[in-house]
Amino acid sequence: MPLFALEGLAPTVHPDAFVAPTATLVGDVHVEAGASIWYNAVLRADLGPIVVRAGANVQDGSVLHGGDDPVTEIGAGATIGHLCVVHGCVIGPRAVIGNGSTVQDGAVIGEGAMVAAGSTVAPNVELPADRLMLGSAAKERGGLTEQARWWVRTNPDFYQQLARRHAAGVTPAD
């Protein structure tokens, strides 16, 4: 399994966890006992830690990227379905994120809740325990906010700098 340290932070995988040989873990990633990370999943913790709690599963082709607030956490026994994007958010214990869903920064998915397949959870949305969220809200909404303009303006340089960090600092982890 490809494990990569970045700037002195290396993934930790409990001996009782399963990480598929084609999954990639980079940086401050922690996988607890009984958890599983499936084929071609990518967990990249270069902006903040990612914690996959005991018994959780991250299925094939999903991408998890850590943000700085909150810690990206996949709760005990939670499921991240195939081809999901989970970015800088908290997924509660036993919650299910359906195939092809996106959960964005600051969102909190409650214990035992479900995000149905193909759904998009907007930033900072909270889904209470044992509730269902369904659908995608992508529609034209007008001009960009100042925060959106900032992302459009700063993202190219940010990723160029981040790529230099990775090129200079990524090493295979033991």
Side-chain angles (χ1 to χ4, degrees):
M1 77 188 98
L3 301 179
F4 296 96
L6 177 64
E7 299 169 342
L9 295 173
T12 60
V13 177
H14 191 280
D16 292 333
F18 168 73
V19 177
T22 58
T24 301
L25 283 60
V26 180
D28 196 9
V29 176
H30 306 278
V31 180
E32 294 183 352
S36 57
I37 312 298
W38 292 88
Y39 300 91
N40 296 323
V42 175
L43 284 68
R44 179 164 55 99
D46 52 7
L47 301 181
I50 297 172
V51 179
V52 180
R53 297 285 180 204
N57 67 90
V58 177
Q59 296 176 6
D60 311 72
S62 288
V63 175
L64 281 61
H65 189 209
D68 56 357
D69 185 29
V71 169
T72 300
E73 181 175 352
I74 310 305
T79 293
I80 307 300
H82 306 288
L83 298 173
C84 291
V85 175
V86 175
H87 200 281
C89 58
V90 174
I91 309 301
R94 296 183 342 278
V96 174
I97 308 303
N99 296 344
S101 293
T102 297
V103 183
Q104 297 182 6
D105 297 86
V108 177
I109 306 302
E111 181 173 352
M114 175 182 275
V115 174
S119 296
T120 299
V121 179
N124 302 311
V125 166
E126 293 192 26
L127 178 61
D130 302 313
R131 303 295 294 173
L132 172 66
M133 182 172 277
L134 170 68
S136 180
K139 297 178 184 175
E140 183 180 333
R141 304 288 180 162
L144 296 176
T145 65
E146 187 54 40
Q147 182 179 17
R149 280 191 206 99
W150 179 84
W151 276 106
V152 169
R153 186 175 59 250
T154 63
N155 207 53
D157 287 339
F158 175 79
Y159 262 85
Q160 290 168 18
Q161 292 173 9
L162 189 58
R164 285 191 287 274
R165 282 177 53 203
H166 280 255
V170 168
T171 58
D174 294 330

